[in-house]
């Protein structure tokens, strides 16, 4: 299964609610991931632009999108971004494919 990273920033209202009533939001949203067939690999709360980062396995892109869309529609996040990660093997295959087509590209200069 491909790995994805989901990054989100909470709204001020959501942060205020979490301060009033602290809870493990990953556990609170576990049913969503399970229903979408998504397995959370790692999660955490970085300091900076995003408030939560989740690395997950999804059976396909539509499953990954369904999770992001559901979270976005809930209104607790002011922004969210899902990034598909290439495996090391996929990256190597991309490099090999680029090697084969690079001679056909001429950058504007």
């Amino acid at each position: 299964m491909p790995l994805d990273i989901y990054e989100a920033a909470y709204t001020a209202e959501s942060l205020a609610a979490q301060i009033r009533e602290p809870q493990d939001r990953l556990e609170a949203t576990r049913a969503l991931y399970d229903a979408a067939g998504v397995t959370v690999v790692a999660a955490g709360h970085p300091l900076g632009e995003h408030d939560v980062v989740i690395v997950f396995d999804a059976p396909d892109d539509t499953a990954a999108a369904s999770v992001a869309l559901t979270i976005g529609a809930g209104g607790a996040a002011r922004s969210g971004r899902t990034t598909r990660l290439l495996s090391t093997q996929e990256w190597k295959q991309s490099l090999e494919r680029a090697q084969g087509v690079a001679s056909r590209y001429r950058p504007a200069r």
Side-chain angles (χ1 to χ4, degrees), residues 24-109:
D24 181 338
R25 291 301 304 156
L26 182 60
E27 283 308 313
T29 58
R30 176 83 51 203
L32 165 64
Y33 297 106
D34 291 345
V38 167
T39 302
V40 174
V41 176
H45 301 275
L47 301 175
E49 183 179 346
H50 297 100
D51 298 309
V52 63
V53 174
I54 301 167
V55 179
F56 61 89
D57 278 328
D60 53 44
D61 290 340
T62 57
S66 70
V67 169
L69 290 167
T70 301
I71 292 170
R78 62 179 166 81
S79 67
R81 175 174 63 196
T82 304
T83 305
R84 164 86 154 73
L85 295 177
L86 295 177
S87 68
T88 303
Q89 184 60 33
E90 289 170 317
W91 178 253
K92 183 176 177 269
Q93 289 170 348
S94 297
L95 293 170
E96 290 166 350
R97 186 172 286 182
Q99 187 180 48
V101 300
S103 66
R104 291 176 169 69
Y105 175 67
R106 298 286 179 250
R109 295 192 186 171

